Amino acid sequence: MSIQKYFSCLYFCLFITWAGLLSTIVALFDNEAEIVKAELRQSRSNALADELRQSSDDLTKMARLYASTGDVRYREYFQEILAIRNGEAPRPDRYDLVYWDLLDRDGSRPRGFGASQALSDRMRNEGFTTAEFASLQKAQSLSDALVNIEAIAMNAVDGRFDDGTGNFSTRGAPDLDLARGLMFGKEYMQHKRTIMMPINAFLVMVEERTQKEVTIYVSQRGVFALAALALSLVAAFVTGLTFLALRNRVIKPLDLALASAESVADGEFGQPIEYVANDEMGSFVNAFNDMMLRVCDMMTKLQTDNMRMSAELDVSREIQQMLLPTSEELEQIQDLDIACYMQPADEVGGDYYDVLQHNGQVKIGIGDVTGHGLESGVVAVMTQCVIRALLLHGEKNPVGFLDTLNRTLYGNMQRLGSDKNLTLLLLDYANGEIKLSGQHETVLVFRQGGEFESIDTIDLGFPLALEEDISSFIGETTVQLSAGDGVVLYSDGITEAENMDKEQYGLERLCHIARLHWAKSAEEIKQALIRDVSLFIGQQTVYDDITLIVAKQR
């Protein structure tokens, strides 16, 4: 089965299970709510029955007290209790608590009053069964009959007696013995017992009905709880099965693919992934293995190409180094003490410098090709070859010399389709005089006595190989040197070198170190400058070629 179908089935089972579990939990909560409602109905029903019983007892109590004491207050309380039960007077708040026993002699009430509502109406609203309501109505009817006896007794206390029509219009002497006999006699107690019997029957019926409801809901609670537990177990099982399938059928092959890719990235071309499955991940692994095989082939070819390119770079670097002036050549220049240094940022640098001597003329050149690497190194080699050829040819005019060099490099760059160009400064030295031409970094001139001056070359030339004709931009200036005087030439790889705080070495520091050591030999000055630059850079990466020439009049 495909992964999509397999997980679709699992997710469907999970959905059904969780939906069933949620429905069961909702039903369980609804069932608990019904249990609470049933218990509340039971409590309210018992409270209504108890209020009917209590009102009957309170009426009896007030009638007996009035018959015994003749205190009119008890007659008034009797009539108020009866009015409250019939809905003719406001019902006290929390009438279910102790009330009439808390009255003071002055008649002050323990609590306030609420709305009036007959007890029979409240019983009807409670939703009793026909038998239950009939039992309560019977009890209330019997209680009303008992009220007639209590009325005869209380009227006897006032000296009023039944005139035969049910009215108490016949006047006579108060008969307390009659009143007490009625209120405490056997007939009254028999009526009282008759009232309590339907009330008790009502309580039994309500108890049986509500208890049956509660029992049904409690049994349903157990069923729902078991169903919820079973569905929870099923959901846990399906969830575990889903995670297990996800791990074995998705995560495992992905981990194997990741490990294989990392090993290839580390240069370890291992075996294909050993995973077989007739699903999407099986197809993925097969495609991944094919891709890794192609990558391994490409990496092998790339390594071969890199080795070939590295060999070519080694040859180019050796050619470039071979074309640099040797210490023997520099020592043959009698009037100048010269020291040179070049450190390419890549295996083949883009900086150029050379010191040539022909027929007593010394030509020093320093330049910077855009970029660095193999292509920039080739441009530097081209430049060296053309300069040497022009020097041997006897070209001394700076305009003709630089114009011819520029046209040659420009034509080569056009043929190569390259946008490389370079700044180049040429120094022609003879008999203590230096002629400067070409555009490069500022030339630093140091005097034996400690004086220092700088020469801006911006107006002495134009970048080579950028335009075909630069003759109008070429200029020349002359510097006279005495014994101990000299120049320092450099590339921007020194002044723009950065330390770990991204601060640049700068021209000011270069001048300070050169002046500090100017009394020494050219080699010592060079070493002091290179040492200070290296100390400044520290662990920071070198981003550009570093070139330095120190030439000092002997």
Side-chain angles (χ1 to χ4, degrees), residues 6 39 117 144 216 266 293 301 311 315 329 333 436 498:
Y6 186 78
E39 291 175 343
Q117 187 176 18
D144 291 339
I216 292 173
D266 293 337
L293 288 175
K301 182 180 179 181
V315 172
E329 290 179 288
I333 301 174
L436 305 175
E498 293 183 348

Side-chain angles (χ1 to χ4, degrees), residues 513 517 520 523-533:
I513 298 300
H517 297 273
K520 301 177 183 179
E523 179 63 27
E524 291 173 319
I525 297 171
K526 179 204 76 174
Q527 291 179 0
L529 287 170
I530 296 303
R531 184 169 56 250
D532 189 64
V533 171

Side-chain angles (χ1 to χ4, degrees), residues 304-316 347:
T304 302
D305 292 342
N306 284 341
M307 291 177 62
R308 177 182 56 78
M309 185 176 293
S310 178
E312 292 176 355
L313 287 173
D314 288 341
V315 172
S316 299
E347 294 183 13

Side-chain angles (χ1 to χ4, degrees), residues 21-122:
L21 179 60
L22 181 62
S23 300
T24 303
I25 293 174
V26 171
L28 184 60
F29 277 105
D30 290 342
N31 187 75
E32 291 296 320
E34 291 299 327
I35 292 176
V36 173
K37 291 179 182 178
E39 291 175 343
L40 286 175
R41 285 194 297 272
Q42 183 182 31
S43 176
R44 289 195 301 268
S45 300
N46 291 338
L48 289 172
D50 187 66
E51 185 173 337
L52 176 61
R53 179 193 59 76
Q54 184 63 45
S55 66
S56 179
D57 289 344
D58 289 339
L59 289 171
T60 298
K61 177 181 177 180
M62 297 304 172
R64 284 178 174 178
L65 287 172
Y66 183 64
S68 300
T69 64
D71 191 340
V72 71
R73 289 183 303 140
Y74 300 120
R75 182 184 182 93
E76 292 173 353
Y77 293 159
F78 178 91
Q79 292 172 347
E80 185 177 356
I81 293 170
L82 192 60
I84 291 173
R85 189 172 75 177
N86 294 333
E88 299 169 354
R91 186 170 180 269
D93 294 330
R94 294 306 307 274
Y95 196 43
D96 55 314
L97 301 179
V98 178
Y99 185 78
W100 296 107
D101 291 330
L102 299 178
L103 298 181
D104 292 335
R105 291 190 61 81
D106 59 359
S108 59
R109 304 305 173 94
R111 291 181 293 278
F113 293 92
S116 59
Q117 187 176 18
L119 180 61
S120 59
D121 293 338
R122 292 166 56 211

